[in-house]
Amino acid sequence: MKREDFLKKLEEMLISQIKIKINHGINHDLSNFSNQQQTNDVFSEKWSKYSHSQEKELLYEFQKKWYLELYGFDSEESLRGFLKNCDVIFDAGCGLGYKAAWFAQLAPHALIIGMDFSDSVKQASLVYQDISNLFFIQGDIANTNFKDNSFSYVSCDQVIMHTEDPEVTFIELARICKKPRGQVACYFYAKKALPRELLDDYFRSACTNMTNEELWAMSQQLTELGKRLSELNISFEAPDIPQLGIKGGTYDIQRFIYWNFIKCFWNVELGKETSIVTNYDWYSPSNARRFSENEVREIVKRNNLVVDFFHIEDACYSGRFINSSSELSK
């Protein structure tokens, strides 16, 4: 199919028509909610800065490998085989668009649409304008402007927590997912130990009054803290403290502080710039909701979806969820 054919298919899915120039269109670029707009501005700043990083390709490869693990695919070929049966794919909260481009390359027969509320979609549309089956729309993934049952596969990876009301956003993602046999893949931040949760909420609120320069400086300082703690190379046996949500066991000192008290991300393999951006990503946005496993499963159940695959790790819960009327495809 040619770009014109994919564009026609996209236009048929829209409730209200928007102007698409080559591979980019705008539903809306401003939010009526102050916290959401602040979050959008933070991510516009983040992606604008990181788009020039020499480290981003390393992050992209890391994220692709993690994506396979998060959503139950043994390999890239396994994902390719899954996408072979999808004709329209939605990357909800696409950022710089590298995962949407990945989907487009793995499924050249399918229409791929990436959407983000930040200005990152403008950069993505320029970088990937030669991929004929890939389009980017700036807009709210909680109000997509797509008709019911539009997408075979809806992927919302590491994004839903940053929307104004994640439950409402999930309802929208389920609405636009095809019935039957459509699937929604979604990642949810996991709640951490009580000291970390209390500090995160208090500190995030304080961060809303900081300038971008102050936020970047703080992110560099947190990265340096994580680096110095990691370089101590000290492990110890922590006691189990259930009332605080602190799990007992052997910890590296940096990871113990990271999981239980304050996010001070450092990854020598991904690099300094990526570590700084990761810390900026955490404390700068107003919207960054965390969930328990029961809360995630309840959200899925309330939307009449069933679990096809569910993943648990300290950082998150993630999975692929299908309509209860569809056939499980394990």
Side-chain angles (χ1 to χ4, degrees):
M1 290 175 65
K2 297 180 180 180
R3 186 189 297 276
E4 298 77 31
D5 299 317
F6 286 115
L7 176 57
K8 181 179 179 181
K9 190 171 186 177
L10 188 162
E11 291 172 338
E12 291 172 349
M13 294 163 50
L14 293 169
I15 297 171
S16 300
Q17 290 301 308
I18 62 173
K19 183 178 180 181
I20 305 289
K21 185 176 181 181
I22 304 177
N23 67 339
H24 174 256
I26 300 176
N27 269 341
H28 22 67
D29 55 4
L30 294 174
S31 175
N32 294 324
F33 300 100
S34 59
N35 281 349
Q36 186 64 67
Q37 188 57 49
Q38 187 274 345
T39 299
N40 297 349
D41 292 342
V42 160
F43 281 102
S44 292
E45 167 72 11
K46 167 193 169 180
W47 291 125
S48 175
K49 194 175 185 72
Y50 193 67
S51 65
H52 304 292
S53 174
Q54 299 298 312
E55 296 173 0
K56 66 178 184 293
E57 295 300 330
L58 285 174
L59 177 66
Y60 292 175
E61 289 308 308
F62 170 85
Q63 287 287 347
K64 288 176 183 177
K65 290 178 182 177
W66 196 26
Y67 188 92
L68 299 175
E69 180 181 344
L70 288 171
Y71 301 107
F73 299 106
D74 295 333
S75 64
E76 187 176 76
E77 284 305 306
S78 175
L79 176 59
R80 188 195 305 273
F82 173 82
L83 296 179
K84 186 178 180 179
N85 297 316
C86 302
D87 62 341
V88 191
I89 298 166
F90 187 43
D91 185 6
C94 63
L96 291 176
Y98 63 93
K99 280 198 286 284
W102 186 35
F103 297 155
Q105 292 161 355
L106 292 176
H109 64 282
L111 167 62
I112 316 297
I113 301 170
M115 180 178 287
D116 204 283
F117 221 160
S118 77
D119 293 337
S120 61
V121 287
K122 298 174 184 176
Q123 300 171 60
S125 67
L126 293 174
V127 172
Y128 300 113
Q129 62 182 332
D130 293 333
I131 303 179
S132 63
N133 63 327
L134 176 59
F135 294 83
F136 293 98
I137 297 176
Q138 187 168 9
D140 185 358
I141 64 170
N143 182 19
T144 62
N145 189 32
F146 290 116
K147 297 175 182 175
D148 292 356
N149 307 318
S150 289
F151 294 92
S152 308
Y153 184 53
V154 174
S155 175
C156 186
D157 183 41
Q158 303 173 61
V159 174
I160 201 167
M161 309 77 51
H162 298 305
T163 61
E164 185 68 22
D165 188 333
E167 284 88 348
V168 170
T169 302
F170 196 89
I171 290 171
E172 175 72 351
L173 299 180
R175 180 188 70 80
I176 63 174
C177 185
K178 288 186 177 180
K179 304 175 182 61
R181 293 185 297 277
Q183 295 204 13
V184 177
C186 199
Y187 172 114
F188 300 81
Y189 281 149
K191 289 182 177 178
K192 311 298 189 298
L194 181 59
R196 168 77 188 267
E197 286 293 310
L198 293 174
L199 186 145
D200 280 357
D201 282 339
Y202 180 83
F203 198 25
R204 182 172 290 106
S205 177
C207 286
T208 60
N209 297 317
M210 295 184 187
T211 65
N212 273 327
E213 291 74 18
E214 290 171 331
L215 289 168
W216 282 116
M218 179 195 69
S219 302
Q220 292 175 8
Q221 293 155 5
L222 287 170
T223 300
E224 184 62 26
L225 174 62
K227 179 175 181 290
R228 293 188 188 186
L229 288 170
S230 181
E231 288 173 347
L232 291 174
N233 196 28
I234 295 174
S235 295
F236 76 103
E237 193 73 21
D240 195 42
I241 312 176
Q243 288 79 6
L244 294 180
I246 295 176
K247 301 174 183 176
T250 303
Y251 285 90
D252 172 86
I253 188 67
Q254 187 267 340
R255 301 312 287 171
F256 179 75
I257 292 173
Y258 176 94
W259 289 120
N260 296 300
F261 295 95
I262 186 169
K263 180 156 185 166
C264 48
F265 183 85
W266 167 251
N267 186 306
V268 66
E269 295 178 354
L270 293 178
K272 184 177 180 179
E273 288 183 0
T274 300
S275 296
I276 291 171
V277 164
T278 302
N279 286 315
Y280 178 88
D281 178 288
W282 184 252
Y283 285 116
S284 299
S286 295
N287 292 339
R289 174 98 169 269
R290 285 87 66 202
F291 297 83
S292 68
E293 179 183 350
N294 286 340
E295 287 173 330
V296 172
R297 291 186 180 274
E298 184 59 29
I299 289 171
V300 173
K301 183 179 179 181
R302 283 201 304 268
N303 284 276
N304 298 315
L305 304 180
V306 294
V307 175
D308 194 19
F309 174 83
F310 200 85
H311 174 85
I312 301 173
E313 59 181 79
D314 288 336
C316 66
Y317 305 103
S318 61
R320 284 186 286 119
F321 314 112
I322 62 180
N323 292 294
S324 56
S325 59
S326 62
E327 298 176 2
L328 297 180
S329 55
K330 293 181 180 179

